[in-house]
Amino acid sequence: MSLGARARCAGTQAVKESTLHPPYIAVSTWWMIAAIVTALFLVVCVPLMPSRKYKVRIACAPLLGLVFLAVAGAVRDHETQKLLSTYCTVMFAIPLGIVGRGKELKEAAEEAEKAIGGQVAPAPFKLTMQLSAALVGACMLWVWLNWG
């Protein structure tokens, strides 16, 4: 390998070393992030629900998520930091995935409420794609934060 090629490789390695590592986030900071993300989730998601029944269900989601992760963490002996990062990325992805799609979300929920025991049409394509992209992006963020 020539001297110039070695210098380019060393320069590239230095850039990779300084830019690709995730920041260290303390557990206390994760708790603050979790509180903010939970508030964001409730502010965005609850008003989009068409009925009181759905509003109550979506308002219980953060609590159920924390309970599920606490039990899973105790059973599998995961660190609190990883559990909170999981909670935060999921709770951030859902509002991000439905923001701006309130009309479609309300229509889909109302249709599902009317079709008890019957066939329900699939959710609107744009809503599905936005929610899917947000969840994939959140998963990628979580992987980067936890495994860098």
Side-chain angles (χ1 to χ4, degrees):
M1 185 181 285
S2 71
L3 188 58
R6 285 187 191 165
R8 280 193 302 275
C9 287
T12 303
Q13 187 65 26
V15 169
K16 284 182 182 178
E17 289 296 321
S18 67
T19 59
L20 295 181
H21 292 292
Y24 173 77
I25 301 174
V27 173
S28 59
T29 306
W30 275 118
W31 279 112
M32 287 188 285
I33 295 169
I36 292 167
V37 167
T38 301
L40 175 72
F41 178 89
L42 293 173
V43 165
V44 171
C45 295
V46 172
L48 293 176
M49 295 297 111
S51 68
R52 179 171 167 71
K53 179 175 83 172
Y54 281 111
K55 288 179 191 288
V56 170
R57 284 182 185 176
I58 201 74
C60 291
L63 177 62
L64 293 174
L66 282 174
V67 169
F68 172 77
L69 285 175
V71 170
V75 169
R76 296 184 180 177
D77 199 33
H78 291 302
E79 299 172 6
T80 304
Q81 190 172 6
K82 285 198 180 199
L83 295 172
L84 286 172
S85 68
T86 303
Y87 173 82
C88 290
T89 52
V90 171
M91 285 294 130
F92 180 68
I94 294 171
L96 189 63
I98 63 173
V99 73
R101 300 278 170 218
K103 182 180 175 188
E104 293 109 330
L105 186 64
K106 281 186 178 185
E107 289 172 359
E110 287 171 352
E111 186 175 316
E113 199 170 69
K114 290 177 188 173
I116 295 175
Q119 287 282 339
V120 179
F125 180 74
K126 290 180 181 180
L127 173 64
T128 304
M129 290 306 296
Q130 182 174 331
L131 188 56
S132 299
L135 289 171
V136 168
C139 287
M140 291 170 59
L141 175 63
W142 183 84
V143 166
W144 179 70
L145 286 171
N146 285 281
W147 291 317

